[in-house]
Amino acid sequence: MNHALLLVYLQNDFCPNGALPVAQGDVTIDVDNVAIAAAQKAGIPVIASQDWHPANHLSFAANNSDAVVGERSELAGLAQTWWPVHCVQGTRGAEFHPRLNREAFDAVIQKGTQHDIDSYSAFFNNGKRAATTLDSLLHQRGITRLTIMGLATDYCVKFTVLDALELGYDVQIVEEGCRGVNLQPDDSEATLADMVVHGARRIGLANFIAVSAHHPV
């Protein structure tokens, strides 16, 4: 099996009542669980990525004098948006959503662990100055095809998908399993369109289930 299901940052802080909530972020959880069940039935490994910041992370506005949440500046020589404190290691906010079937995970990939640089993609930190263990794990398992879903469409899903494509993976995105921040009303749709231009495919949950059914254990 050369196919894996990659779940992007389905954590409490990115869902309603979290520190950095995505509108309707929790609506994706039921979709994710259906996809997880289909993947398990087909023998497709389920890999979850997890935002996992140290408390002193410099992307947090609170850790920078005069920084204001939502404003942009520079960090480590890169453009930086200042964020509220979120997904701090060992906190409830960093935990996966309680309804998510976490027992089905074959692996968890943590990112954002370096305090002095931000990270959106599950593959690299910003600027690609360091890699997570995701690419090496996929290579070790002979995985060349990824089905991706999660939060948020226009940030972490976007950068994860674009990095996966650049690394040579065949990528499909389950639309129902994603929600966006949408600072502008059409940000998510524009992001999905851009990912398709770069080589990804947009699919529905039913399509993923149907395709998975052709690859039973």
Side-chain angles (χ1 to χ4, degrees):
M1 178 62 65
N2 66 348
H3 187 182
L5 175 63
L6 177 60
L7 307 176
V8 177
Y9 314 131
L10 297 166
Q11 296 166 256
N12 288 323
D13 269 346
F14 296 130
C15 290
N17 300 315
L20 191 53
V22 176
Q24 298 184 328
D26 56 339
V27 173
T28 66
I29 302 302
D30 292 337
V31 176
D32 299 310
N33 283 336
V34 172
I36 288 169
Q40 282 190 299
K41 187 175 182 180
I44 295 171
V46 179
I47 300 171
S49 56
Q50 185 179 29
D51 210 18
W52 194 246
H53 295 307
N56 66 342
H57 202 274
L58 293 182
S59 72
F60 299 160
N63 290 333
N64 296 272
S65 60
D66 301 323
V68 177
V69 170
E71 290 190 354
R72 292 177 64 81
S73 185
E74 184 177 290
L75 177 63
L78 301 169
Q80 177 66 48
T81 298
W82 300 126
W83 302 112
V85 176
H86 66 279
C87 294
V88 173
Q89 298 171 8
T91 66
R92 181 184 180 281
E95 293 174 3
F96 292 105
H97 192 281
R99 292 206 321 271
L100 188 64
N101 181 12
R102 292 161 287 176
E103 295 181 0
F105 295 169
D106 291 275
V108 174
I109 303 296
Q110 294 174 334
K111 67 90 173 168
T113 58
Q114 295 174 265
H115 87 283
D116 56 351
I117 192 166
D118 209 355
S119 175
Y120 298 146
S121 170
F123 287 96
F124 301 100
N125 63 18
N126 293 356
K128 292 185 172 63
R129 296 176 182 176
T132 69
T133 58
L134 179 56
D135 188 44
S136 62
L137 173 68
L138 296 174
H139 277 291
Q140 289 167 11
R141 299 192 177 195
I143 292 167
T144 58
R145 184 181 188 188
L146 294 172
T147 295
I148 298 176
M149 57 177 63
L151 304 171
T153 310
D154 38 355
Y155 284 91
C156 295
V157 172
K158 170 186 175 180
F159 286 99
T160 298
V161 167
L162 293 179
D163 281 346
L165 291 167
E166 188 174 323
L167 289 166
Y169 292 97
D170 178 27
V171 178
Q172 54 190 17
I173 309 148
V174 177
E175 295 187 48
E176 301 101 312
C178 300
R179 289 293 187 281
V181 175
N182 290 324
L183 293 178
Q184 300 298 322
D186 63 346
D187 278 355
S188 287
E189 181 58 34
T191 296
L192 287 165
D194 183 55
M195 290 189 283
V196 169
V197 167
H198 281 82
R201 296 186 307 283
R202 297 167 64 169
I203 66 169
L205 178 62
N207 181 263
F208 174 71
I209 294 171
V211 171
S212 299
H214 292 293
H215 300 281
V217 177

